[in-house]
Amino acid sequence: MKNIKIAITALVTLFLFQSCSEDKMDEINKNVNNPTDMASRLIITDVMVNSAFTVTGSDASFYAGIYSELNAGNHNQMYNAQVRRAEPQLSSTYNNGWNNSYEQIKTLRIIIDKCTVGEEKGNYQTLGIAQILLAYNLAVLTDLYGDVPYEEAGKSGIIFQPKVDKQEAIYQDIFAKLNEGIANLKKATTYSSLGNQDLIYSGNSAKWIKAANGLLARYTMRLSLRKADYQGVINYVNASFTNADDELKFINANVPNPYARFQLDRGAICVSKSFYSTMIANGPADVRTNTFFTKIGGVVVPFDNSKEDLEGQGIYSISALMSEKNPIYLLSYHELLFLKAEAEARLGLPQAQTTMNAAIKASYTKKQVITFTAIQADSYIASIGTLTGDELLKKIMLEKHISFYENEGIECYNDIRRLQAMGNGNFIPMVNAQPELFPLRFAYGQSDVASNSYIKDLYGDGSYVYKENVWWAGGTR
Amino acid sequence: MKKKIKGFAILVFLFTVQIFFAQEKTISGIVSDGSGPIPGANVVVKGTSNGVQTDFDGKYKIKAKTGDVLIISYVGMKDQPITVGNASTVNVKMQEAGEELKEVVVVTALGVKKSARAIGYATQEVKAADITRGNNNSLSGALQGKLAGVQITPSSGAPGASSQIVIRGARSFTGNNSPLYVIDGMPVASQPDFSTGNGVTGSDIANRAVDIDPNEIESINVLKGQAASALYGLRASNGVIVITTKSGKNSGQNGKPIITFNTSTSFETISKKPSTQNEYAQGSNGKFNPNASTNWGPKISELPNDPTYGGNVANVLNGGVLKPGKYYVPQRVKAGLDPWVTPRAYNNINDFFNTGITINNSLNISQSTEKTNYSFGIGTSKQDGIIPETGMNRYTAKAVVDTKLNNEWKTGFSFNYIQTKINKSTSANDGAIVGVFAAPRSYDLKGIGYANPANPYDQIYYRPSVFNNPYWAANNNEFSEKTNRAFGNTYIQYSPIISSDGNQKLTVKYQVGVDSWTTNYRNIFEFGNKLDLSGQSSSANLFGTTNDVINSLFTLNYNLNITKDINLNVLVGNEYNHQNTKEYDEVGTAFNFGGWPTIANARTITAEEYRRQIRTVGFFSNIELSFKNMLFLSGTIRKDIASNMPRGNRDFIYPSASLGFVVTELEGLKENSFLSYAKLRGSIAQVGQAGNYIGNYYTTPSYGGGFWSGQPIQYPLGGISSYISNNVQYDPNLKPQNTKSYEVGADLKFFNNRVGIEYTFSKQNSTDQIFSVPLAGSTGASSLVTNGGKMRNDVHELTLMLNPVRTKDFNWILNANFSKIDSYVEALANGVDNIFLGGFVTPQLRASVGDRFPVIYGTGYARDAQNNIIVDAQGLPIADGELKVLGEVAPKFTLGGSTQFAYKRISLGAVVDWKNGGKIYSGSNNLMSYYGVDARTADRTSEFVFPGVKEDGAPNDIVRGGASDPNAQQQLQAALNGIAESAVFDASFVKLREVTLGYQFPKLLNNSVDLRTSVFARNILLWSKMPNLDPEATQGNNNFSGGFEQWSMPQTKSIGFGMNFTF
């Protein structure tokens, strides 16, 4: 009896000590649900989806579209932004977009690291695309927020309060990354093409190179106030897309166009009266005016954005172009042609209006669910007549503004701020009753205002968004 | 079958044998106490069912034979055994049971029973009668107002609603603050398997304490302090709720089986109903709009004059044929009704809510024989909620058996099976009742109907998009959970006789148990959700979890009387706990068509699984020394090794010590009638809490949240997958968080135990909290799971027991429980001032440095240096640019009071709960005002000046409102809607928690049946500072609960009756 007891006790003790050794505990605590490392080709795919859906097409575009009067906000946060009720200066307003942009930067840094010094050294295609996407994401970020953390950003676990970099320096890196990207995409690599993991160009490096040149054109134009290089813009455009098939856009059966999804989920954006008036001013020859907007009781009912019109859902006309199947434009062919037209016009080159006409045609015929024909475009173009000087420049910018309808809000907002800075603020009619509350920039994200003292100091009470231009628009930050 | 017959025969035999061989004579006498004869005292022949009660003069007559033992018993008196001799007259003088209180036995950690006087820390016991008196089928609800130092936060009155029990304040910011539940010696799960997260979408998720049927509980002991619970180690930092279920031990001292049947039925209604304005119609700026969410239209009486919709004027809708006194409601056309109606205000709130019904039944049979005692019970609880299609069904079955094998060996088991099914409704962003509370006063929500007669998925509603008609949502969307659970344990105990003089005792016990449960959840947004007939807004989310927890416990207890006065007790043991979890999560979005709300009807389907194991192995010891029943010194130590921490940081040691000193044992203080009993106690302890370390990983990107309902993008995208680095990162040097606690207290009893006071002060310092430290977004990650922060809890607990009247007919008891719990956040991680617990971007709940935990945080009024509210050029308040702390959620103090009157056979009891202070954010109140429904918006014609200062600092003198400014009130409410501070209310309340009136019938059916009937009411009186809503209805099943409300499920009040039969 006693022996049995001792034996049992010994066995139990043995079992217990084996059951809690470090190795055994490691085995128990192993993460069986998630991988701890990943190949870059499986990472970069989401950078593209995210760059399109979230960075380009969602919150930032909605707010920017309202500020630039491309749209009006009729409900809740969008209404508050519309009537300038605190929203534009609150750090909470843009927090989601802010955080998302930095997750993008962090992810891209992981890919670039893997493909330069890491285990995928020499994977030049993925590297080049990652560099172009980094430049793109970074430009959206600094265009909206001005001076932002960059060099020290995206290093979670190492740097907890990243320092802020100047926009001028960030722009230098944007150009550098685009040029490095182009160079890397031209290199031979033993790694296979991204293929289907590249949801934009299916691993076609030549198209990425064109896209990078197009972005170089856009960002060169952006810095016109600081350092005009219109010939450079034209050169870059010439190295970029030759038709709408090449353009940098995202279209995927499983990714809804965010503008359409926003209408479904929130119903908070509608037609602004000033944009509708701009369209009407084009005269009956512009058939877009009659098709762009939904009608209520047979007429277009825009939100009167020259005042605090009523808040409400379903009471105003909305975009009739809207479809979840529409592409998300990161850099459209029509935008590219308008960039060239503007550069030519600013240089006084005679072909400027021809280029503008081509841009208008590209805008008419952009490949959306609801589109227009080249013939319709031609008849509208014929109605414009010959323009010169500022008249032409103004028409180019106004047509570019229209071409951004319905949701190329970020570029629309960037253009308006650039034009204001360049003394062309009258080109695009703006009617908001409180011009002193036109947001010159987005407010920093709440997470940094709360947890990064560098940003906290810069944010203050948030009223800087109404007072301080970003660097490329003549400001200091 | 044969066995069944045999069992039945034995039962019949047992009933009959007891009245068989009686050779009786009649004994008579008078039962009295110091103040005279006692009517209604029980006189029973021991071991039989033969019993009588004394009459009004205390006289009794009973048949018994020589050698029988009569047991005379009466409430508040000691049972008196009298052996029948030759005398046929036996007068009995009874003594008050007060002296016995000294010998109260409490169940302490690991189920060790100790004399109450021997412990050096505070525990509090709640007896079965106090739990079940109000017939509440929720344990946490039944405990409200009855414990000191314990905060009970129900989420709502919905069936199966989650609730939080927190003992002596929070120690963790975002982690677990709820106590460990131990049922019959076995730790069991009590927490929710899934958190409600930010608490602003979907439905509540029940916590597993919902599986406990209060009717099966014999007693609850709350081990409040860390010293009390230190033996449980890692899991004990939040205190322990030790539940002992009904067993055969205490029942049937006569040896016969006792059958009890309890039944109760109650009726629930909404505890507080919003009050509305009744004069103004749907619309905005004084203009009627049949699709507006707002209620700022013209007067309802003016609707027939509306140029577009009125019947008094010629317009397109009436084609020039006037409909005098009527107006046109377009929704009625869709419903196939005459669109022209006479306008009036509708009682949409009364129309919507049902009277809830709860029916609880429980049947228990128990018996104690010489060697074996058992208890078998089954119970059902069926509840229909006040919101249509909500409810709970719970079935429980249990068995407890203990048996002595011989003088040394003992064994037994306890087994429980539970099935719980809950149907819920949704709140906050998915709120169902928004359309009830905020329905325009002119809109006939019930009368018009909720769906197109030709297409049940085509909703009819006053809002044209995005929001559901509440009737449609109730009838088509589904939020349900169903749990099957079994838990139980078995033990074997060996107590050899190791000394002939009894000076040494040894007990070795091994117990092994399992807690296993599976819960499946269905969250269905049916086709047509949010009025979207494309199907995009519909979805099926099927998820669930399967868990098994094995707990093995080995203890060895050695007791030695060193001298006559000094006793030593040593306990050593080992505990092994291993949990296996498997979860699944299937999401299907966009149904093809309505009426088949299952995942197979979805156009996009994704699925995920999650598996996890957690093992904790602990070694512990407890050494106690006592001197003369007067001084008690105890020390514990426990080492835990936890798998869910990083390598090298897995094992930790926690000590505790306590001292109890019974002052009244001192010579000179003994037998003092003023001070009957006095004990001073103090303890010190340290315990920790492990994190849940898993390390960094890659994960499938998610696109939910923000402006999106559901998931706009779900990987894989047409066969293409992608993975990104998870935005929550883990600190590889994670260590356990630590709580050091100190506790001092005194237990005093006066006037022969007629007055009792217990007071405890405790202080806890918690350091190295484990939480997801929010990172600046620019780091590229959202948070880092690491150690950081300090918290301090200062807790005062006072319980008072009064027995002002105790006569033979009348007994009156008063109890009060006072708690003042202050949990201060002293520090968070470096550079972090506050962390998010739940809510919207603004407002939300946070833990904020320097403030009590938690705080409401969000947009405040813009104020000047003197704290005056700044108004803009329109004379309306404006929002401050920075988010800030808007108020503390925790109350200043809580006071629970209960009283019991017993007069002869009638008893009357009441429990009152007072929560003083604390703030709540009420999104419903905010929106009811913003929409112009709230009674507070009834006055739209008076002039007003918003109190504050203008931007130049001068007092505001801008007059708004009046005839020339008819929309001022709407503009004011719109401005306030953007300022969360305007909807932060004082959450103080006083509630009449329970009132019960019971009547104990004289023995029925030939003395074989006891029947007690009662009528009861719960939450019937409510006084609260917050308008329109009961402050005890909030969002969240986690640390977020209690301070944030947005279209939360309402609280309820109940009235019912119950019957308890004992055979």
Side-chain angles (χ1 to χ4, degrees), chain A residues 304-356:
Chain A
D304 187 350
N305 54 342
S306 67
K307 60 173 192 182
E308 286 198 13
D309 210 345
L310 293 183
E311 179 175 4
Q313 287 170 296
I315 58 176
Y316 299 108
S317 294
I318 59 171
S319 167
L321 306 177
M322 199 182 293
S323 166
E324 294 206 342
K325 296 189 177 106
N326 279 344
I328 305 162
Y329 298 107
L330 288 81
L331 174 63
S332 58
Y333 182 52
H334 49 266
E335 184 194 334
L336 191 77
L337 292 180
F338 279 117
L339 283 168
K340 187 177 181 184
E342 184 189 350
E344 288 170 345
R346 288 197 186 271
L347 288 174
L349 298 178
Q351 63 269 39
Q353 186 160 10
T354 314
T355 310
M356 177 186 79

Side-chain angles (χ1 to χ4, degrees), chain A residues 1 5 15-38 42-47 49-50 53-54 58-59 62-63 75-80 85-86 89-93 96 98-99 102-103 106-107 110 114 149 152-157 159-162 196-197 199 250 252 254-256 258-259 261-267 310-311 313-315 324 446-452 455-456 459-461, chain B residues 284-285 289 291 293-294 409 429 463-467 494 530 532 534 536-537 574-576 578 604 609-617 619 641-651 692-699 701 703 705-709 711-718 720-727 729 774-782 784 830-834 841-842 844 846 857 859 879-883 930 970 974-975 978:
Chain A
M1 186 70 183
K5 275 184 210 159
F15 167 71
L16 279 170
F17 282 101
Q18 273 186 346
S19 68
C20 56
S21 70
E22 286 280 15
D23 286 346
K24 183 74 194 171
M25 290 304 208
D26 273 348
E27 190 189 317
I28 289 168
N29 205 39
K30 188 178 179 224
N31 188 344
V32 291
N33 306 299
N34 305 94
T36 50
D37 198 12
M38 189 55 61
L42 282 164
I43 305 174
I44 201 165
T45 309
D46 186 63
V47 179
V49 176
N50 191 317
F53 185 85
T54 308
S58 297
D59 302 20
F62 304 152
Y63 284 111
H75 176 64
N76 212 342
Q77 292 98 330
M78 294 299 141
Y79 182 79
N80 293 342
R85 197 183 277 157
Q89 76 176 80
L90 294 179
S91 62
S92 50
T93 304
N96 290 347
W98 170 267
N99 293 342
Y102 281 101
E103 283 183 35
K106 179 186 158 197
T107 308
I110 292 172
K114 278 178 186 281
E152 293 190 348
K155 297 175 177 170
S156 60
I159 295 173
F160 290 97
Q161 300 201 18
N196 288 340
Q197 290 298 132
L199 291 172
F250 189 91
N252 186 292
N254 297 296
V255 177
Y259 187 80
R261 180 54 67 99
F262 186 76
Q263 171 61 29
L264 180 71
D265 285 353
R266 299 279 159 172
L310 293 183
E311 179 175 4
Q313 287 170 296
I315 58 176
E324 294 206 342
Q446 192 198 351
S447 65
D448 270 65
V449 173
S451 306
N452 183 352
I455 292 290
K456 189 181 185 140
Y459 174 80
D461 65 357
Chain B
S284 186
N285 285 354
N289 173 358
N291 289 315
S293 57
T294 51
W409 291 88
N429 281 352
R463 294 183 85 157
S465 62
V466 181
F467 292 88
Y494 174 55
K530 296 192 171 181
D532 169 20
S534 76
Q536 285 292 353
S537 302
N574 160 265
E575 191 176 20
Y576 164 99
H578 189 102
T604 311
E609 79 160 341
Y610 169 84
R611 290 171 294 150
R612 183 100 172 102
Q613 294 182 72
I614 296 172
R615 178 178 294 180
T616 309
V617 179
F619 301 91
I641 304 163
S643 69
N644 54 343
M645 291 294 286
R647 192 179 178 106
N649 273 356
R650 285 206 171 104
D651 52 309
N692 202 3
Y693 178 84
I694 192 73
N696 295 335
Y697 56 85
Y698 282 79
T699 184
Y703 282 82
F707 284 124
W708 311 120
S709 315
Q711 298 279 347
I713 299 173
Q714 284 172 272
Y715 279 96
L717 301 172
I720 306 295
S721 296
S722 187
Y723 304 90
I724 55 168
S725 171
N726 189 36
N727 65 9
Q729 308 239 301
L775 298 179
S778 59
T779 61
S782 65
L784 175 72
N830 273 346
V832 180
D833 293 332
N834 48 63
V841 171
T842 167
Q844 49 180 245
R846 291 194 155 235
Y857 190 84
T859 320
D880 193 359
E882 263 184 288
L883 303 184
Y930 173 63
Q970 181 177 359

Side-chain angles (χ1 to χ4, degrees), chain B residues 530-581:
Chain B
K530 296 192 171 181
L531 285 75
D532 169 20
L533 290 173
S534 76
Q536 285 292 353
S537 302
S538 59
S539 62
N541 182 197
L542 314 179
F543 60 107
T545 179
T546 298
N547 288 273
D548 53 84
V549 188
I550 289 169
N551 196 79
S552 144
L553 180 65
F554 174 81
T555 53
L556 187 150
N557 197 336
Y558 173 72
N559 196 297
L560 171 68
N561 291 329
I562 298 172
T563 70
K564 192 164 74 74
D565 290 332
I566 301 176
N567 178 275
L568 171 74
N569 192 70
V570 179
L571 175 84
V572 293
N574 160 265
E575 191 176 20
Y576 164 99
N577 187 285
H578 189 102
Q579 173 161 14
N580 260 303
T581 301

Side-chain angles (χ1 to χ4, degrees), chain A residues 141-215:
Chain A
L141 184 70
T142 187
D143 287 344
L144 295 176
Y145 299 95
D147 292 355
V148 290
Y150 172 54
E151 281 302 328
E152 293 190 348
K155 297 175 177 170
S156 60
I158 304 162
I159 295 173
F160 290 97
Q161 300 201 18
K163 281 204 192 85
V164 175
D165 294 293
K166 300 304 288 178
Q167 187 176 58
E168 187 176 3
I170 292 170
Y171 254 96
Q172 280 173 9
D173 204 61
I174 289 169
F175 287 103
K177 283 285 174 303
L178 288 169
N179 287 317
E180 284 168 33
I182 291 168
N184 281 317
L185 283 165
K186 288 177 176 166
K187 287 182 190 166
T189 174
T190 54
Y191 284 81
S192 57
S193 162
L194 276 177
N196 288 340
Q197 290 298 132
D198 175 358
L199 291 172
I200 294 177
Y201 289 131
S202 300
N204 183 332
S205 292
K207 287 194 178 181
W208 276 108
I209 291 168
K210 284 185 188 176
N213 277 299
L215 291 172

